[in-house]
Amino acid sequence: MSEEPKHETADKVNGEGKADKPEPADDLKTTHHTLGDLAYTATTGRIVLHEEVTEDDKFNGRKPKAEVSITYYTVDDADVTQRPVTFAFNGGPGSSSIWLHMGLLGPRRVDSGDAGNLTPPPYGLLDNDETLLRHTDLVFIDPISTGWSRAVEGGNPRDYHGFTKDIESVSEIIRLWTTRNNRWLSPKFLIGESYGGTRGAGIAEYLLTRFGLALNGVMFIAPAFNMETLYHTSRSELPDPLFLPLYAATAHYHGLHPDRELDDLVAEARGYADEFRAILAKGQNLDPEVRAAAVAKVASLTGVSEDYVDRANLRLEHTRFYAELLRHKRLVTGRLDTRFTGPADHYTYERMPYDPFLVGTDGPYTAALQYYLRAELEYENDHVYERLSRAVHPWSYKEFEGEAVDVIGKLGNAMRLNPHMKVHVAMGRYDGGVPVEAIEYTLDHLEIPLEARAAIETKTYPAGHMMYVHEESRIQQSADLADFVQRASARG
């Protein structure tokens, strides 16, 4: 009788007689499930990220650098040369993939409710009949320091808290998964939300130029492409005009334009944007009568008083606007979804003291994921699941020193190098973090051949940053993503 193979569990002893700790190993759990007639396999846990190390100009092998939490779903008995696969991540930076996983894409979804009708604790889980898994396998990735992803013991997590290293590490996970699962001939997609758009544009280029991995398509959810369009910076005339339609729509949603149609109001704000930008560009040389007319116009569109617009010098910085708009009702609005409102401890805040959208969704999503991973996917990990980690800050943008963080050039390069790659962009009318007009402005400045613009499609939904918390938007968006994947996967 042959002996069973023995597995070495003791620590190795180094030349100094001290025990070396064993290298980290993949920690994955696989389970099998059905959703109606859909049979699929789920795998979750952590995989080890290795990197090539060169020391003193000598190659020193591939060394473990981090353990990355990942959850992936594959449909059973599929032809992997025909079956698409989609790699998904959220943004932040510092966000795990919990939101796309449990809110929109996965086979199970959170019961969170929506603005004005939030589900109370202890929340719940629902089957997601509209899951994108019906059309593509799904791989959810938590970048390092989010979810359960951590640098290895003795490693420095700050090495990964920056633009380039983040792109490289997530891209390596995608390459590794594709190789191990023999998916190089599968149609391949990315889907990224918010800073996941920043990351996704960089990854689309990096996968192709570093590994020769060409994508069929990239799906962006409320993507942050150009930070200059989103935040007030010295001498920039971009954010204020681009946020103006969002402010008008928010005021309309909260009843401050009872006699106006939403579409007409938004169109008026959009139409005024170019004139408003030219007015702001005048600075202190602005004619007083022109300035007074601009104050009145901005106030009439946004629902705040002329006195407030005047005191703000025409620049309604967004976190101030969300504190001001409903001050008379003793409420603050959300930022990532301005449909949401909440009370404050007092109403003298200059800026919104918190985001009612984030606090309204954090509890349901966290509870759903924690229960789901243990009870249904049978994976146990006692460490804190970092859904939104502050530990990644300050995030390094050293590559953009002296200029705005803008990744649209990377997306353009990926599209020029891979003219078959399609792009889908989803936007929320009430997204107060990445407004529709800011995204459109950036896409308009994408430097690709005019005929290549047919590869880009945009969809706007009547909700916010995570438009899928709104049930009608979630159903429509699920159908839109499924349609995109099917069309972009077609061979020939």
Side-chain angles (χ1 to χ4, degrees):
M1 182 181 296
S2 61
E3 295 183 359
E4 294 184 0
K6 296 180 179 179
H7 301 279
E8 183 178 352
T9 57
D11 293 345
K12 296 180 180 178
V13 178
N14 62 27
E16 299 178 352
K18 298 180 180 179
D20 287 333
K21 291 185 178 181
E23 288 192 350
D26 292 353
D27 169 30
L28 296 170
K29 178 70 175 181
T30 296
T31 51
H32 302 280
H33 309 265
T34 58
L35 178 62
D37 60 353
L38 185 69
Y40 63 94
T41 298
T43 303
T44 191
R46 301 203 295 180
I47 62 176
V48 180
L49 173 67
H50 291 79
E51 290 185 2
E52 295 183 358
V53 176
T54 301
E55 297 175 347
D56 299 326
D57 295 326
K58 295 181 180 179
F59 179 61
N60 201 25
R62 286 176 60 82
K63 304 294 185 182
K65 292 295 185 179
E67 297 172 272
V68 178
S69 59
I70 187 171
T71 300
Y72 56 93
Y73 302 93
T74 56
V75 166
D76 297 344
D77 301 321
D79 180 352
V80 296
T81 66
Q82 302 295 320
R83 175 74 177 168
V85 58
T86 297
F87 301 92
F89 37 78
N90 278 82
S95 176
S96 68
S97 61
I98 183 174
W99 319 102
L100 284 174
H101 187 179
M102 302 305 297
L104 177 63
L105 303 178
R108 297 277 276 160
R109 63 181 180 88
V110 63
D111 178 9
S112 65
D114 191 15
N117 187 30
L118 290 170
T119 302
Y123 316 115
L125 273 170
L126 304 168
D127 283 339
N128 185 7
D129 292 324
E130 295 79 25
T131 174
L132 197 60
L133 183 60
R134 294 191 183 278
H135 309 279
T136 171
D137 292 343
L138 299 169
V139 182
F140 295 94
I141 300 170
D142 294 332
I144 295 166
S145 297
T146 75
W148 283 308
S149 297
R150 302 289 187 274
V152 296
E153 186 173 344
N156 185 357
R158 297 218 60 80
D159 290 344
Y160 298 92
H161 299 167
F163 176 77
T164 295
K165 198 63 175 180
D166 173 69
I167 287 172
E168 292 175 351
S169 59
V170 175
S171 294
E172 171 60 11
I173 294 299
I174 292 171
R175 182 204 67 82
L176 183 63
W177 190 94
T178 301
T179 300
R180 286 182 175 178
N181 291 275
N182 197 23
R183 300 302 292 268
W184 279 87
L185 289 183
S186 299
K188 290 175 284 295
F189 295 85
L190 302 179
I191 183 167
E193 180 178 299
S194 194
Y195 185 86
T198 315
R199 176 185 293 128
I203 288 176
E205 179 191 50
Y206 186 81
L207 287 174
L208 185 61
T209 57
R210 174 66 180 89
F211 302 128
L213 193 158
L215 298 168
N216 287 69
V218 184
M219 294 165 277
F220 295 110
I221 312 295
F225 289 136
N226 180 354
M227 302 300 181
E228 187 182 0
T229 65
L230 306 179
Y231 299 101
H232 277 72
T233 56
S234 178
R235 294 179 296 280
S236 175
E237 315 301 345
L238 291 181
D240 294 282
L242 295 175
F243 271 74
L244 201 60
L246 174 276
Y247 295 156
T250 301
H252 183 277
Y253 182 86
H254 292 292
L256 302 182
H257 290 290
D259 300 325
R260 298 292 304 273
E261 294 293 330
L262 174 63
D263 290 346
D264 291 342
L265 181 67
V266 169
E268 181 181 347
R270 288 170 65 102
Y272 182 63
D274 288 342
E275 180 182 349
F276 187 39
R277 185 175 295 114
I279 288 171
L280 293 174
K282 290 286 188 180
Q284 293 297 308
N285 289 322
L286 184 61
D287 179 86
E289 291 186 3
V290 174
R291 185 183 186 282
V295 166
K297 180 71 170 181
V298 171
S300 70
L301 289 170
T302 63
V304 295
S305 70
E306 291 188 21
D307 177 65
Y308 184 80
V309 176
D310 182 40
R311 286 185 286 114
N313 201 22
L314 289 170
R315 296 179 182 269
L316 303 182
E317 193 279 330
H318 64 303
T319 61
R320 292 189 176 101
F321 177 81
Y322 308 143
E324 177 66 20
L325 181 67
L326 299 180
R327 195 183 299 272
H328 64 288
K329 294 185 177 180
R330 301 207 168 190
L331 293 170
V332 296
T333 76
R335 172 177 173 264
L336 294 182
D337 192 326
T338 61
R339 298 175 305 133
F340 283 69
T341 62
D345 55 339
H346 61 81
Y347 298 91
T348 60
Y349 285 105
E350 179 187 6
R351 301 174 186 268
M352 58 189 302
Y354 72 105
D355 188 339
F357 169 76
L358 279 180
V359 299
T361 54
D362 187 18
Y365 275 76
T366 303
L369 183 77
Q370 293 280 8
Y371 175 85
Y372 173 62
L373 291 178
R374 280 181 175 261
E376 299 187 17
L377 301 193
E378 302 177 11
Y379 178 75
E380 296 187 5
N381 190 319
D382 290 340
H383 295 167
V384 173
Y385 185 90
E386 296 289 354
R387 64 220 185 278
L388 284 170
S389 174
R390 301 298 302 174
V392 306
H393 298 287
W395 190 259
S396 173
Y397 292 107
K398 62 182 180 181
E399 301 82 358
F400 299 92
E401 186 173 356
E403 59 185 42
V405 177
D406 184 357
V407 298
I408 203 65
K410 292 186 175 296
L411 179 60
N413 194 39
M415 295 183 71
R416 290 191 300 270
L417 297 176
N418 177 11
H420 299 289
M421 189 178 78
K422 310 299 182 185
V423 176
H424 173 96
V425 181
M427 305 174 289
R429 172 42 63 201
Y430 301 103
D431 184 350
V434 188
V436 170
E437 285 69 26
I439 298 171
E440 292 180 337
Y441 173 90
T442 306
L443 290 175
D444 287 344
H445 290 78
L446 185 62
E447 295 180 345
I448 56 176
L450 288 178
E451 60 271 18
R453 292 196 167 272
I456 304 172
E457 64 182 36
T458 61
K459 302 287 183 180
T460 302
Y461 302 92
H465 196 69
M466 289 163 46
M467 57 284 297
Y468 43 87
V469 303
H470 177 244
E471 182 66 2
E472 292 181 8
S473 295
R474 183 190 67 82
I475 293 172
Q476 183 60 57
Q477 184 172 30
S478 298
D480 292 340
L481 293 175
D483 177 62
F484 175 78
V485 167
Q486 289 173 319
R487 286 185 284 111
S489 297
R491 296 177 182 268

